[in-house]
């Protein structure tokens, strides 16, 4: 019989730790204000809805390294062009998709400026530079922290080398923003709970307002994310990790397991020699893996390569999920795992009907829905027979998850493919929004 994770929180915790499965009140307020933006979008698209039921729509971006970052950028930019972006209440990301989200949310009005922001991000990815001195400066501070780990090293070397930016801002700085943009949720998992097969309790989410275990219902203010606690109180002055660290944390899939760690360090060693930092990184790996005093958070894509868990929280009352899948190999693995998670967690999820042969040759648009209380799920495989014809495998081989930064030509081609998945299916998306409104 599988063990269940049981958490007991004394009353002293509640000063700094919110112990509840309800939504954060500030998130509730944000969603309420966002509702006016959604209503206008529905009216502009001729969609009928009940005043008492404005649908909650969540967009999910899967993992997949730079492929996911560029793919989500193309999908969101096309949604803006098709006047669909304002229908979204939540934008949830895992792994590489969080790299795109972090880049976009640097602009407080990115939903309005998405075309310009897209160009800026593409220019940075294509023409930006990796500065060893900037990387060393960031790492020299991180390495002095007693909680220094492989995540810091990964963020400063691999992630920075791909995204060409060290973002020193903090997620909590977005706390006071208005509802111009969809509400962002970044996801990770607790490595220790995952290894103990606690697949539901291990999910961890980070928003501008709080960070914590969504299944358990234990959160701290995001400004305290990265701080040490003792008996429910910050042990040291509050310390929030910056956005580069967050991108490294959410996109650390290849850091799962000693074999992968060794491969990563060897790959980095091939192109950069930083003896002292590498030495301290190696020393800290066992401590991070074995210590009971720390919770090790890693890329959620290792468990489920799409942030379904965040969107499926019953408190968020999501009616429609638009899932943009940038995974490699099986284009339906994420939605299958989401169904398995819901079965284990006792949450409703629609039945999956996938025609024989489509696992290898998927179409560009799938709808999964039934008469249960489960949200409607629309699934968009990145590479499909509509956009790629018979060359799906060639596209997959061209855009591997773990490879050097993409060229400008590769980025532009990938943006085109991902945008077509929205452009070609605008009316179908509107139909499912209308179906969500009719529930």
């Amino acid at each position: 019989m599988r063990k269940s994770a049981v958490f007991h929180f004394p009353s002293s915790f509640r000063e700094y730790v919110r112990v509840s499965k309800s939504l954060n009140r500030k998130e509730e307020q944000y969603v309420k204000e966002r509702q006016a933006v959604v209503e206008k979008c529905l009216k502009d698209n001729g969609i009928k809805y009940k005043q008492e039921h404005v649908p909650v729509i969540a967009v999910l971006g899967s993992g997949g390294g730079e492929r996911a970052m560029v793919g989500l950028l193309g999908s969101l930019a096309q949604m803006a062009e098709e006047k669909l972006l304002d229908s979204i209440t939540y934008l949830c990301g895992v792994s590489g998709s969080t790299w795109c989200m972090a880049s976009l949310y640097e602009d407080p009005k990115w939903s309005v400026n998405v075309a310009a922001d897209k160009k800026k991000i593409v220019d940075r990815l294509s023409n930006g530079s990796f500065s060893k001195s900037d990387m060393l400066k960031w790492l020299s501070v991180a390495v002095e922290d007693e909680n220094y780990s492989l995540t810091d090293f990964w963020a400063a070397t691999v992630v920075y080398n791909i995204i060409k930016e060290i973002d020193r801002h903090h997620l909590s700085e977005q706390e006071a923003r208005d509802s111009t943009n969809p509400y962002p949720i970044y996801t990770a998992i607790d490595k220790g709970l995952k290894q103990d097969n606690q697949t539901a309790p291990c999910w961890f989410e980070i928003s501008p307002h709080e960070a914590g275990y969504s299944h358990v219902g234990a959160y701290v203010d995001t400004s305290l994310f990265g701080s040490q606690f003792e008996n429910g109180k910050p042990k040291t002055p509050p310390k929030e990790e910056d956005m580069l660290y967050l991108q490294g944390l959410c996109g650390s899939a290849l850091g799962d397991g000693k074999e992968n760690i060794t491969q990563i360090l060897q790959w980095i060693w091939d192109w950069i020699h930083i003896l002292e930092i590498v030495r301290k990184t190696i020393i800290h790996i066992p401590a991070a893996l074995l210590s009971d005093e720390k919770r090790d958070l890693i890329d959620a894509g290792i468990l489920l390569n799409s942030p379904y868990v965040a969107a499926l929280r019953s408190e968020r009352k999501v009616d429609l999920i638009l899932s943009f899948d940038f995974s490699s190999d099986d284009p339906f693995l994420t939605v299958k795992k989401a169904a398995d998670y819901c079965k284990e967690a006792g949450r409703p999820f629609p039945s999956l009907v996938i025609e024989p042969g489509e696992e290898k040759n998927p179409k560009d648009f799938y709808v999964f829905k039934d008469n249960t209380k489960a949200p409607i799920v629309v699934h968009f495989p990145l590479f499909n027979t509509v956009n790629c014809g018979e060359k799906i495998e060639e596209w997959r081989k061209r855009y591997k998850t773990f490879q050097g930064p993409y060229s400008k030509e590769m980025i532009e081609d990938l943006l085109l493919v991902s945008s077509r998945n929205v452009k070609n299916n605008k009316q179908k998306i509107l139909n499912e929004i209308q179906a969500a409104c009719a529930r």
Side-chain angles (χ1 to χ4, degrees):
M1 183 176 181
R2 178 173 292 176
K3 295 184 293 182
S4 297
V6 179
F7 296 81
H8 299 285
F9 301 100
S11 58
S12 60
F13 271 61
R14 297 177 185 272
E15 182 178 357
Y16 292 96
V17 180
R18 188 176 75 88
V19 183
S20 174
K21 291 190 176 182
S22 65
L23 295 183
N24 183 288
R25 284 182 294 178
K26 293 180 180 179
E27 177 183 337
E28 288 182 332
Q29 182 61 34
Y30 191 102
V31 169
K32 184 178 180 181
E33 294 172 1
R34 179 71 182 172
Q35 188 177 45
V37 179
V38 174
E39 284 191 76
K40 184 178 185 305
C41 181
L42 297 179
K43 291 176 181 177
D44 290 346
N45 281 284
I47 294 177
K48 298 179 181 179
Y49 64 96
K50 300 174 185 176
Q51 191 69 40
E52 66 276 12
H53 180 218
V54 177
V56 176
I57 301 173
V59 162
L60 311 186
S62 81
E66 188 173 3
R67 181 182 63 245
M69 179 182 185
V70 176
L72 183 60
L73 180 61
S75 301
L76 293 173
Q78 193 63 40
M79 287 195 74
E81 189 169 330
E82 302 296 339
K83 310 300 181 185
L84 296 172
L85 189 59
D86 283 345
S87 69
I88 303 168
T89 299
Y90 289 103
L91 177 56
C92 311
V94 64
S95 198
S97 284
T98 65
W99 302 352
C100 174
M101 290 171 59
S103 296
L104 286 172
Y105 280 91
E106 288 182 41
D107 180 357
K109 305 287 185 182
W110 73 262
S111 291
V112 178
N113 306 320
V114 65
D117 287 340
K118 172 188 170 185
K119 183 179 184 303
K120 186 185 302 182
I121 293 170
V122 171
D123 286 345
R124 191 184 78 217
L125 293 176
S126 303
N127 305 314
S129 60
F130 173 86
S131 168
K132 288 184 181 180
S133 62
D134 288 347
M135 180 267 289
L136 283 170
K137 184 177 180 180
W138 190 91
L139 267 181
S140 65
V141 175
V143 79
E144 294 303 320
D145 193 297
E146 63 179 299
N147 292 318
Y148 175 78
S149 70
L150 183 66
T151 298
D152 299 90
F153 193 66
W154 171 269
T157 54
V158 178
V159 177
Y160 171 37
N161 187 44
I162 292 173
I163 66 176
K164 303 296 193 302
E165 178 183 45
I166 294 179
D167 186 351
R168 298 181 184 274
H169 292 92
H170 300 101
L171 184 57
S172 65
E173 293 175 26
Q174 300 175 21
E175 180 180 4
R177 290 184 180 178
D178 62 27
S179 57
T180 299
N181 304 316
Y183 191 78
I185 302 173
Y186 300 77
T187 58
I189 57 173
D190 184 301
K191 185 171 185 176
L193 292 176
K194 170 187 173 286
Q195 292 176 335
D196 196 33
N197 294 319
Q198 303 294 327
T199 55
C202 76
W203 280 88
F204 192 95
E205 62 180 49
I206 309 136
S207 76
H209 297 110
E210 63 183 7
Y213 295 86
S214 55
H215 187 85
V216 175
Y219 307 91
V220 298
D221 286 350
T222 300
S223 61
L224 297 174
F225 179 56
S227 302
Q228 285 186 300
F229 282 73
E230 184 174 1
N231 295 324
K233 296 183 178 181
K235 186 177 179 181
T236 56
K239 176 202 170 186
E240 181 183 357
E241 302 289 359
D242 64 23
M243 292 304 294
L244 178 61
Y245 178 90
L246 182 62
Q247 289 169 296
L249 168 65
C250 293
S252 59
L254 293 175
D256 183 46
K258 293 181 180 178
E259 295 81 6
N260 283 334
I261 289 171
T262 302
Q263 291 172 4
I264 292 165
L265 291 175
Q266 183 60 53
W267 179 78
I268 294 169
W269 188 256
D270 287 342
W271 59 269
I272 191 165
H273 301 277
I274 322 168
L275 183 58
E276 179 60 22
I277 290 176
V278 170
R279 182 190 66 78
K280 192 163 185 180
T281 300
I282 296 172
I283 289 173
H284 273 72
I285 290 170
L289 294 176
L290 301 176
S291 174
D292 290 329
E293 296 179 358
K294 303 175 184 177
R295 300 314 306 175
D296 296 325
L297 300 178
I298 56 175
D299 190 336
I302 295 167
L303 185 59
L304 200 174
N305 199 34
S306 188
Y308 275 98
V309 176
L312 290 167
R313 275 185 62 182
S314 57
E315 301 84 11
R316 292 198 166 110
K317 300 178 181 178
V318 172
D319 299 287
L320 173 63
I321 291 175
L322 303 179
S323 174
F324 293 98
D325 199 306
F326 313 112
S327 307
S328 59
D329 303 322
D330 185 349
F332 300 101
L333 184 60
T334 57
V335 73
K336 291 175 184 175
K337 285 192 172 184
D340 291 341
Y341 163 81
C342 287
K343 184 177 181 180
E344 179 182 348
R347 297 181 181 178
F349 197 81
S351 302
L352 303 182
V353 179
I354 302 168
E355 297 297 327
E358 292 188 353
E359 289 87 351
K360 290 187 176 181
N361 297 293
K363 296 179 293 187
D364 60 346
F365 187 93
Y366 290 85
V367 178
F368 304 113
K369 60 182 175 181
D370 49 33
N371 294 323
T372 68
K373 294 182 179 180
I376 299 170
V377 175
V378 179
H379 183 72
F380 302 84
L382 175 60
F383 301 134
N384 52 72
T385 55
V386 177
N387 291 332
C388 306
E390 298 179 354
K391 298 181 178 181
I392 293 177
E393 285 304 317
E394 292 182 23
W395 280 89
R396 288 176 178 166
K397 290 178 181 178
R398 186 183 182 196
Y399 294 95
K400 297 178 182 178
T401 303
F402 190 56
Q403 66 183 67
Y406 296 164
S407 66
K408 185 175 182 178
E409 180 184 3
M410 290 177 69
I411 291 171
E412 290 177 345
D413 289 348
L414 189 56
L415 285 170
L416 185 60
V417 167
S418 60
S419 67
R420 283 175 179 168
N421 288 338
V422 175
K423 185 176 183 179
N424 293 344
N425 295 293
K426 177 181 179 179
Q427 188 55 52
K428 292 180 181 179
I429 295 172
L430 288 171
N431 291 344
E432 297 312 318
I433 294 176
Q434 183 66 77
C437 290
R439 289 191 156 198

